[in-house]
């Protein structure tokens, strides 16, 4: 729900005009990987995960693998 749902509900019940720190936004993972010099993989099909994971595990250091779960893959 892009946030801390239960906490948001309690906060809205007590303070209808105020919400603090309960709404979350995902970062741009590709930009994050670029900023830190990390390899980045975006998975949008089931068959892509195995290759991306296999390649990432051969590298020295971290990688970011983003899995698009908006549609069923």
């Amino acid at each position: 729900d892009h946030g801390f749902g239960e906490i948001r509900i309690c906060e809205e019940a007590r303070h209808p005009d105020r919400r603090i720190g309960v709404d979350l936004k995902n970062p741009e993972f590709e930009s994050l990987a670029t900023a830190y010099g990390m390899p980045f993989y975006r998975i949008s099909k089931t068959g892509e995960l195995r290759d991306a994971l296999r390649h990432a595990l051969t590298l020295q250091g971290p990688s970011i693998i983003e899995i698009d779960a908006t549609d069923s893959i």
Side-chain angles (χ1 to χ4, degrees):
D1 67 357
H2 301 286
F4 297 113
E6 289 298 317
I7 296 171
R8 182 188 305 126
I9 291 168
C10 292
E11 204 170 274
E12 288 174 344
R14 293 180 185 181
H15 308 285
D17 298 328
R18 181 185 73 181
R19 285 198 318 220
I20 300 172
V22 294
D23 296 313
L24 303 176
K25 184 173 182 342
N26 280 337
E28 291 291 327
F29 291 107
E30 187 170 10
S31 297
L32 184 65
T34 300
Y36 286 98
M38 291 188 275
F40 173 77
Y41 309 88
R42 179 176 288 120
I43 307 304
S44 58
K45 297 178 184 159
T46 305
E48 298 171 341
L49 179 58
R50 183 180 309 243
D51 290 338
L53 188 56
R54 189 171 284 153
H55 185 260
L57 290 172
T58 66
L59 302 174
Q60 293 293 320
S63 299
I64 294 180
I65 299 176
E66 179 180 21
I67 300 173
D68 179 2
T70 54
D71 296 325
S72 83
I73 58 170

